[in-house]
Amino acid sequence: MARICAVGGTRLGLSPASETETPWLGRSMLRREDARFVTGQGRYVDDLTPEGCLHLAFARSPYAHGRIEAVGREAADAADNVVAVFTAAELGPLPGNAINPLAPDIVETPFEVLASETVTSLGQPVAAVVARTPTAARDAAELIELDIEPLDPLADGEGPCSVVYSISEGDADAAFAAAAHVVSIRVEHSLLAPSPMEPRATLATWEEGRLTAWCSTQTPYRVREDLARILGLDLEAVRVIAPDVGGAFGGKASIFPEDAMVAFAARALAAPVKWCATRNDDLLFATHGRGAVSTGEMAFDASGRALALRADLAFQQGSWMTYSAVVPAGNALRILPGPYAIPVLDLKSRARMTNRAAVGIYRGAGRPEAAMLLDRLMDEGARATGIDPIEIRLLNAFAPADLPLARSGGAIVDSGDFPRLLETLRERAVYAELRAEQTRRRAAGEIVGLGLCLYIEPCGQGWESAEVTLIRDGRFVATTGSSAQGQGRETAFAQIAADALGTTPDRVAIRQGDTADAAAGLGALASRSTAIGGSAMRKACEALRTTLVEAAAELLQCPPESVLVRPQRVYGGDNAASVGLAELARHIASSRGDAALTASTIYNAEGEAWASGACLACVAIDADTGETTVERIVWIDDAGLVVNPLLAEGQLLGGLAQGLGEALLERLVYDTEGQVLTGSFMDYAMPRAGDIPPVEIAKIETLSPSNALGVKGVGEAGCIGVPAAVVNAVADALAPMGAADFQLPLTSERVWRAIAHGPNNAPGAEDR
Ligand code: SMO
């Protein structure tokens, strides 16, 4: 091939130097997806209504537990605009959802698409009505007569265990017997509603023997596998698309019975069928989070060194198990010793079935439960020994030289600098001054407290896929197996791809969320997308860049080492020679075939990335009302290399808001019959803008050696460190009154009772 572009660089006024704009990693770039979101161009499942689309609504169980005697469908069948009514009888026996076999001896309880003989949860789908309009479907679903004989719901702690985990190291009895101080804590986590802005929704079509489902999900590939198995279809006959997803927080990481019903109906009717949950549907029957009751004891020697940790965490499982059902119980346990060197461990966790909605992963998934128990104990230890809470953490935290650190239970903490986190926090918060101010305010009669949390969090292991193509106009299209739920994936992944390719982010289109686009993917969860999906993206882009360099070397007749890939052109040899990317694409296609324009990879991480952070919360409590005001939060986060600081801060703040909700406001309330008393946002207290205190976030950066980018997660961090710091601050505020035993959330009533009743109160008893 002739040397066709020798003067191109000059003609365009471009040179390798003028075109150098890297690196893009580390830049605060605005989210490219926001232009469509803020102008109403986002496309969520409910925005998609194909020609002839039918609408599905459910008749749901009004009881937590009961025997189905009869399902009266005549009135619904006869209602206007109704196309079909389905009960378990029409479905016949179907497989349930898959459950991730993360532990041996899991007792599996998958879902029934529609309840057949018994109902096991309030809100469980019993019948489905398909009609020509959403209102006709809802109205007809109300006409279904459910004749259900109520049965007693399982009482707390009575249900069978789905999973049991334990970790034991050293002689705990001996360690506790030898201790100078022993502190203990009991934490009751409320059941929480993940509450994405967009409730669950699925649309399915059936055409020529193929199912296409648009599902508001974090895990399109999982949904595809489940739908294929439940419907008895080949995987190739099922395509799942996650369009724009309005939040998920772990609540959309599994298929639901409703999704399977929509797909079944689409096939049975050979028509598009759509279902969108209402907020009430989601508060009743979407997954719940947390709900664990944890007890822990920590033994210290006279100098404040932790000698031993005992913990017992009792999780709820609900009435069926999501794909990641056992993750919270397993995660909490393997994280529990946290950043601290504790030589003796006796740790147990388990999850028990209940007659409630499934309890699944929720932003943090076991990490918040571990941090809450451990760092509550650490603050109690500080009080018992008279050592300052920062000092006792410095005394017990691992040093950077101790990492990587292999833990019992299999965790390998790969990186971090816990002393630096604490020292940075001390400095940024001007901690000594805060303590002096607390003393002054206390003397003036105020109830004020400071609380700390030093946490570690696993975020990113395993594999993910990516594919990148140089298209004929000289731009790139990159596909990731990690889909998005609102994090700004398209922006961050374009930055990663741009650096790896030597181009600019605006020349890289990011595709995600469609199982037809990429061979495989795990999805967007577990704070892993950037670490693992981002590493896959980098590897795929590096592979394509190698092709670009080799092809340009051929074309420009220069050694590959001299080739520079720049945003618009590829330069070689004496730098005067260059070829435009569109021209290079044509050359590669003709010399090597179209397939050479694409590089794909399945990246498998070398290890697991661990992020960490230190949080300080300052609270003031109104003695008359018990109302807690969080006056300030200072937070030092270590997420390794930060791809886009603006997006990272958004993730951290969002998690912080949910963490504050958990600490102070949110709680799903069930009565003894298993009825939900918090079925709307009138009763379930979401945090609002006015609840968010002044927040200062700073970072340190220890690169993760476990993935190709050195990055760690940020999405769940706010739910991990913030609640524990806030609760510790309230405990610190109330300590002079001897009030210590209070449970989540710290509503004004509970805190008031703690103040009014002193150390032997049993707040929370008011509403059991
Ligand atoms: S709780 Mo997350 O979406 O793994």
Side-chain angles (χ1 to χ4, degrees):
M1 169 100 28
R3 199 162 157 169
I4 50 176
C5 296
V7 296
T10 318
R11 178 163 45 85
L12 294 173
L14 292 172
S15 68
S18 74
E19 280 206 63
T20 302
E21 288 188 80
T22 54
W24 295 94
L25 289 176
R27 288 201 203 186
S28 282
M29 298 186 70
L30 291 173
R31 290 158 39 119
R32 59 167 67 175
E33 39 279 83
D34 284 350
R36 71 173 189 272
F37 291 151
V38 301
T39 56
Q41 305 299 307
R43 282 293 168 267
Y44 302 89
V45 171
D46 201 15
D47 295 314
L48 311 171
T49 307
E51 179 88 25
C53 186
L54 302 173
H55 300 269
L56 191 148
F58 291 95
R60 295 176 178 276
S61 171
Y63 300 116
H65 191 199
R67 193 169 44 246
I68 301 175
E69 304 288 353
V71 179
R73 51 178 292 167
E74 292 74 17
D77 275 322
D80 281 351
N81 282 317
V82 167
V83 175
V85 175
F86 296 92
T87 67
E90 281 74 42
L91 268 49
L94 294 173
N97 61 305
I99 294 162
N100 197 350
L102 286 173
D105 308 324
I106 295 178
V107 179
E108 295 196 357
T109 310
F111 64 60
E112 279 194 289
V113 177
L114 294 175
S116 56
E117 287 166 16
T118 57
V119 289
T120 55
S121 169
L122 186 73
Q124 183 179 5
V126 183
V129 176
V130 180
R132 290 194 183 83
T133 69
T135 21
R138 275 199 292 275
D139 288 350
E142 303 242 318
L143 297 175
I144 301 269
E145 284 172 35
L146 298 178
D147 180 2
I148 295 174
E149 179 65 28
L151 300 170
D152 286 339
L154 289 166
D156 281 346
E158 191 183 75
C161 279
S162 53
V163 70
V164 177
Y165 288 97
S166 67
I167 290 175
S168 166
E169 197 170 309
D171 183 343
D173 289 341
F176 275 91
H181 305 276
V182 173
V183 295
S184 62
I185 280 290
R186 175 184 162 87
V187 180
E188 289 179 25
H189 292 269
S190 297
L191 281 172
L192 302 178
S195 303
M197 202 176 293
E198 179 203 19
R200 294 169 299 145
T202 297
L203 160 71
T205 62
W206 178 261
E207 280 164 356
E208 293 166 16
R210 299 172 69 84
L211 181 82
T212 305
W214 289 260
C215 184
S216 185
T217 181
Q218 296 167 256
T219 52
Y221 296 87
R222 245 178 230 174
V223 172
R224 178 172 64 160
E225 284 187 22
D226 271 321
L227 288 180
R229 207 189 46 262
I230 294 168
L231 270 62
L233 296 167
D234 290 341
L235 204 54
E236 296 70 41
V238 182
R239 174 183 178 188
V240 173
I241 300 166
D244 287 327
V245 173
F249 313 120
K252 294 176 182 172
S254 182
I255 191 177
F256 284 81
E258 289 98 328
D259 306 316
M261 184 64 237
V262 169
F264 188 97
R267 179 177 64 176
L269 303 170
V273 176
K274 180 160 76 173
W275 158 77
C276 298
T278 62
R279 182 62 62 188
N280 176 254
D281 290 338
D282 267 12
L283 283 163
L284 261 48
F285 196 71
T287 55
H288 299 341
R290 313 280 189 265
V293 175
S294 323
T295 54
E297 277 189 297
M298 189 122 78
F300 292 88
D301 71 12
S303 72
R305 259 183 210 287
L307 300 173
L309 172 66
R310 233 186 219 138
D312 193 332
L313 288 77
F315 284 80
Q316 305 185 32
Q317 195 76 86
S319 57
W320 63 279
M321 289 163 73
T322 62
Y323 184 79
S324 305
V326 302
V327 166
N331 249 355
L333 214 67
R334 75 193 186 101
I335 294 162
L336 241 190
Y340 307 118
I342 308 175
V344 176
L345 303 172
D346 176 10
L347 314 176
K348 290 187 190 64
S349 71
R350 79 192 75 83
R352 285 182 189 280
M353 304 309 297
T354 60
N355 287 122
R356 291 176 182 169
V359 180
I361 54 173
Y362 166 50
R363 207 167 190 170
R367 302 164 182 83
E369 292 89 336
M372 180 68 75
L373 188 66
L374 185 65
D375 262 44
R376 288 280 288 115
L377 286 167
M378 207 38 97
D379 261 25
E380 289 300 323
R383 253 188 295 283
T385 55
I387 300 172
D388 177 86
I390 289 190
E391 295 299 336
I392 200 167
R393 285 175 172 81
L394 282 169
L395 187 64
N396 287 291
F398 285 107
D402 299 325
L403 307 181
L405 175 81
R407 281 268 159 93
S408 319
I412 299 176
V413 181
D414 72 332
S415 58
D417 189 339
F418 314 133
R420 187 147 63 96
L421 282 171
L422 289 165
E423 293 297 0
T424 310
L425 181 68
R426 167 146 57 194
E427 204 174 294
R428 293 293 290 237
V430 197
Y431 181 75
E433 176 51 35
L434 285 177
R435 282 290 179 203
E437 189 192 332
Q438 181 186 25
T439 305
R440 285 195 296 276
R441 289 174 71 179
R442 269 187 177 160
E446 285 192 72
I447 307 176
V448 287
L450 305 179
L452 281 160
C453 178
L454 177 68
Y455 62 90
I456 57 174
E457 49 160 336
C459 42
Q461 61 179 336
W463 63 274
E464 194 51 86
S465 71
E467 187 174 288
V468 58
T469 299
L470 172 62
I471 55 176
R472 294 305 181 93
D473 71 355
R475 290 165 188 264
F476 299 90
V477 176
T479 306
T480 170
S482 293
S483 57
Q485 47 175 298
Q487 308 96 319
R489 177 83 72 246
E490 292 166 43
T491 306
F493 276 33
Q495 290 178 255
I496 293 167
D499 271 6
L501 289 164
T503 188
T504 53
D506 62 347
R507 287 181 168 78
V508 186
I510 299 292
R511 299 169 65 99
Q512 41 88 19
D514 186 340
T515 61
D517 275 351
L522 281 185
L525 70 167
S527 297
R528 67 190 295 283
S529 301
T530 307
I532 310 301
S535 290
M537 183 59 67
R538 166 178 267 188
K539 292 289 187 188
C541 291
E542 285 174 350
L544 182 61
R545 185 183 178 136
T546 300
T547 306
L548 302 185
V549 166
E550 286 170 7
E554 262 165 48
L555 199 57
L556 303 172
Q557 296 170 7
C558 63
E561 312 81 70
S562 72
V563 172
L564 295 169
V565 183
R566 290 292 180 256
Q568 299 187 41
R569 305 185 68 77
V570 180
Y571 301 81
D574 56 8
N575 285 343
S578 70
V579 55
L581 281 161
E583 177 66 28
L584 188 60
R586 282 193 293 278
H587 170 67
I588 293 171
S590 63
S591 61
R592 299 161 192 232
D594 279 348
L597 291 167
T598 295
S600 56
T601 188
I602 291 187
Y603 170 79
N604 220 320
E606 299 93 86
E608 186 172 28
W610 287 72
S612 51
C615 252
L616 173 79
C618 310
V619 304
I621 292 167
D622 185 314
D624 295 328
T625 64
E627 180 159 352
T628 299
T629 303
V630 180
E631 296 185 325
R632 187 180 171 206
I633 287 179
V634 186
W635 180 5
I636 317 299
D637 181 66
D638 179 1
L641 175 85
V642 175
V643 171
N644 182 325
L646 191 65
L647 297 197
E649 189 181 318
Q651 291 274 315
L652 293 171
L653 286 173
L656 176 145
Q658 278 181 310
L660 282 172
E662 168 168 10
L664 300 173
L665 294 163
E666 293 182 49
R667 177 167 173 248
L668 282 160
V669 182
Y670 279 86
D671 71 10
T672 48
E673 262 82 60
Q675 293 292 324
V676 171
L677 305 182
T678 47
S680 82
F681 282 165
M682 293 297 286
D683 303 302
Y684 183 86
M686 294 290 287
R688 290 177 279 190
D691 296 309
I692 308 303
V695 177
E696 295 148 65
I697 299 178
K699 69 166 183 176
I700 70 166
E701 192 177 288
T702 63
L703 299 183
S704 170
S706 305
N707 59 68
L709 286 165
V711 308
K712 307 174 181 184
V714 288
E716 297 172 288
C719 280
I720 301 166
V722 169
V726 169
V727 175
N728 273 338
V730 174
D732 183 47
L734 299 185
M737 283 155 245
D741 180 24
F742 43 72
Q743 301 309 334
L744 299 169
L746 298 174
T747 58
S748 51
E749 178 185 359
R750 286 177 170 186
V751 174
W752 180 84
R753 282 174 192 271
I755 298 168
H757 294 227
N760 297 318
N761 65 342
E766 80 277 12
D767 43 27
R768 295 284 179 66

